[in-house]
Amino acid sequence: MIKKFIHQFASPKTYLFQVTRAYPYIFVISILIYIISIFWGLFLTPEDFVQGNSYRIIYLHVPASFISQALYGGMAIASAIFLIWKVKLSAYLVKSIAPIGAMTTFIALISGSIWGIPTWGTWWAWDARIVSTLILFIMYLGLISLHDSFANYEKADKFLAVLVLVGSVNIPIIKMSVEWWSTLHQSASITISDKPTIDPSMLYPLFGSMIGFTGIVVCLVILSSKLHIFVREKNKSWIKDYV
Amino acid sequence: MKIFYFEFLKLRKKSRGWIGPILVFVLIMTAFPLTVEFLNEDLDQAFFSVLWIALMLVMMLATEDIFLEDYNDGSLEQLALKNQSLALILGTKIFIYWMLIGVPISFIGSFYGFGITRSFDLGLNILPILLVTSYIFLNVFSFGNALSLTKGSVLGTLITMPLVLPLLVVLGKVVISINIGLNYFGFLALLLGILSIIIVVIPLIISFIIRAHLE
């Protein structure tokens, strides 16, 4: 039943047509939400009592950090689907997400460094959260290198999926690093179980920026996956009709 | 048992494969005091960092061609066609590597711990940690080398190094616990827990990867 559903709705052809239709809407809405949230966060929210204006980088840093881990989680799910049900589209998505994941992790690291100068007095610390995020970045680069080193795409897809699944053990470590170790990095201000420790005037634009940023990243994943589908399915008749 | 004996003989005959990493480890541990001022407290502080990194690098070196020769001469293909579980055979192979490389290195590391810190207890306490950690490292790097079987060990290292880095954090905590006299058995239990999962899962994953390479 699940297999039939996946095969019917997750063929590269169906995916390509669906995302092409949805892309402009997602793009425009995400950009609008992100711009409004950034404007709200930068100009309409008050200064932080301790950090002054420097905290406003959260509207880039927090969404980038969140999405860098979420993308890896997405890759792990897609890898499992590929290995269990042999869904080609999942393998394409894993390959397409990796560079976007590396980019968002890089943004998280750089924005964190910039924020570190006024708040911690240093742009880098060998802190559990920062180091684990750097490890995530290196992992993304490793995944890209692994796939690119094989000329045989089928083999590359399998190895990539296995490595993504094995590497997913690092995600809980990154997430929980601020709880498990005494770190310079603050613990999460927004959790599912507890009330946010951030003031609502700063919280709402933060939520907006996270939604907007996620939408923009989804658009990038769509573009990257479309490109990958063109490369992999170039000999299929339907792709010639599509182009 | 036959496989165990066969793999043991094969590695023992290939002396470069097991003596080389042991000698590299000895060289690193002997050379590092030359880079530190000859005050005992400086050596004590640097010792454990060098020990863990040397252990990691040497295990990486030891597994560099763990499957490559067998792949090139067709033995892996023969093993894959056997009725016996390929995962079991690969797990045995890793175990042999640990016996011939990991175990001696752990004893040598423990001896250096005693020699450099001049604490017999400390040298003795790090022995089980070294034994468990070397086995974990061997499994993880074997996984990396299976993935990059025909693509060189640099790629294997690049993709598996991030996986073992969190382990270094645990090892750092172990040293702090030992140094301040706290009970470190919790960390040892954690490492044993990780090892017990790894020795079951990694050979299965490697056998899947090897079969994919042979397709």
Side-chain angles (χ1 to χ4, degrees), chain A residues 139 142 149 155 158 162 170 181, chain B residues 151 162 166 169 173 212-213 215:
Chain A
M139 272 174 60
S149 65
K155 260 187 195 176
K158 267 188 196 169
V162 170
N170 267 345
W181 289 281
Chain B
K151 304 291 170 192
V169 180
K173 299 273 177 193
H213 272 294
E215 269 170 16

Side-chain angles (χ1 to χ4, degrees), chain A residues 17-73:
Chain A
F17 282 100
Q18 296 293 343
V19 294
T20 305
R21 206 177 304 154
Y23 177 81
Y25 301 106
I26 301 173
F27 182 74
V28 171
I29 293 167
S30 308
I31 287 280
L32 271 176
I33 293 175
Y34 196 60
I35 289 172
I36 292 166
S37 306
I38 288 285
F39 183 81
W40 187 355
L42 291 183
F43 302 107
L44 305 178
T45 56
E47 257 186 47
D48 183 72
F49 178 66
V50 180
Q51 297 184 44
N53 280 318
S54 69
Y55 87 93
R56 293 182 203 276
I57 203 164
I58 57 168
Y59 302 112
L60 176 65
H61 178 70
V62 175
S65 307
F66 162 75
I67 207 76
S68 64
Q69 291 168 44
L71 283 178
Y72 200 97

